Amino acid sequence: MQGKKIILGVTGSIAAYKSATLVRLLVKAGAEVRVIMTPSAKDFITPLTMSVVSKHPVGCDYFNPADGTWNNHVDLGCWADLLLIAPLSASTLSKMATGNCDNLLMAVYLSARCPVMVAPAMDLDMWKHFTTRQNIDLLVKHGVRVIQPAAGELASGLVGEGRMEEPETIFNTVNSFFVNGLSLSGVKALVSAGPTYEAIDPVRYIGNRSTGKMGFAVAEELAARGAQVVLVTGPTALHTQHPAIKNVTVESAQQMHDACMQHFTHCQLIVMAAAVADYKPEYAAEQKIKKKDAALSVHLTPTIDILAAMGSQKSAGQVLIGFALETEQEKEHALGKLQRKNLDHIVLNSLNDPGAGFGFDTNKVTVFSKDGAVAEFSTRTKKELAVDLVDLISRSNKK
Ligand code: CTP
């Protein structure tokens, strides 16, 4: 980060108050930050605040009436190593998609030769709106890096996706961008995520509480570093827009096996984060099972172990990573899986750790490697953990 030149665009969103913290983090790490604010950003945070934290004047208009100078948007666009827009409002997003150059930030965006990264912030329904989706897709198609918004309570009181990522997470993404660049360019990766559903009848299934967040975060991080990723997912509410991620959706363990095996031999990095069912009903009833007074038993048979199948076929150039979710004798069970399934690394989450496991945005894991190394990661967001895991995996890819 030392000496990196960053333009931070701030737009009209309540999340603008977090931009001051983001500037502090970037400046403290040695970056040179110039802030540009759109007219409506000034309704949420003052240029004075941003000027004090960035230690430079803030650009708001083409012309500075105080000293009669003008902000040269072409020079600014050429100066920067990165244009980061955080928060990105729905309005500026739509201007970026159409090239509507009605303020200084848009002029800098259109002149910028450097990579562009955005951290959207908007309300739940605005984020889901088809126009927002189209605009984001267009930006992504043209190489803009999107730091996906987080889910949580929004300023409106609604709860869902749309909240700008925390400044610390945005900072880590920027840092990783400068440190790692496209270090995995040319590498093919396979990631599995989410639960599997095993049908009992056309209506019911056996499933589990996995949301897919960890696997999606790993896939996004691999793609951000230049890897071509196939992401095989069981039923989840998540989606990805990264052009380097091919998302294959499946339902059952058998379908996940078939989809993964189609790609396995072509991939160097394989991260199996899915919570695959270990058992399935022996027969799925063709018709809906009707309620009766008597008890009902469903006979279960084992599913195919995808990770073990991969471990037995793995070639020397492949790095295979499994996950283990344990509730007791965590270390012994994880090490057993590492050896039995012939893995390079196993990522252990313990359900006994607060903030770890299904549904949480955070995770706390220990990674055991086949060379005996043990890496412990304290509680952190799944996106941050994805950066750490991809660092670890990338190192073993080079060996
Ligand atoms: N896994 C898999 N196919 C299965 C079951 C699990 O590929 N049918 C993978 C998971 O994606 C995960 C790892 O194996 O990476 C560990 O899964 P887990 O269910 O914890 O391991 P098991 O060996 O099935 O042990 P147990 O359920 O008894 O803990």
Side-chain angles (χ1 to χ4, degrees), residues 192 253 256 271-279 303-308 310 321-326 333 337 340-341 343 346:
S192 73
M256 186 169 274
V271 184
M272 299 300 285
V276 187
D278 287 332
Y279 293 93
T303 56
I304 186 154
D305 191 320
I306 309 165
L307 191 60
M310 288 174 169
I321 297 101
F323 278 68
L325 180 66
E326 306 292 345
H333 284 148
K337 286 175 193 176
R340 223 174 30 251
K341 303 195 190 193
L343 310 179
I346 188 137

Side-chain angles (χ1 to χ4, degrees), residues 14-43:
I14 180 62
Y17 81 91
K18 294 183 182 172
S19 304
T21 308
L22 178 57
V23 173
R24 295 250 327 141
L25 292 170
L26 294 167
V27 170
K28 250 175 94 181
E32 213 180 308
V33 182
R34 297 280 194 283
V35 178
I36 299 179
M37 298 174 72
T38 62
S40 52
K42 293 189 281 181
D43 293 333

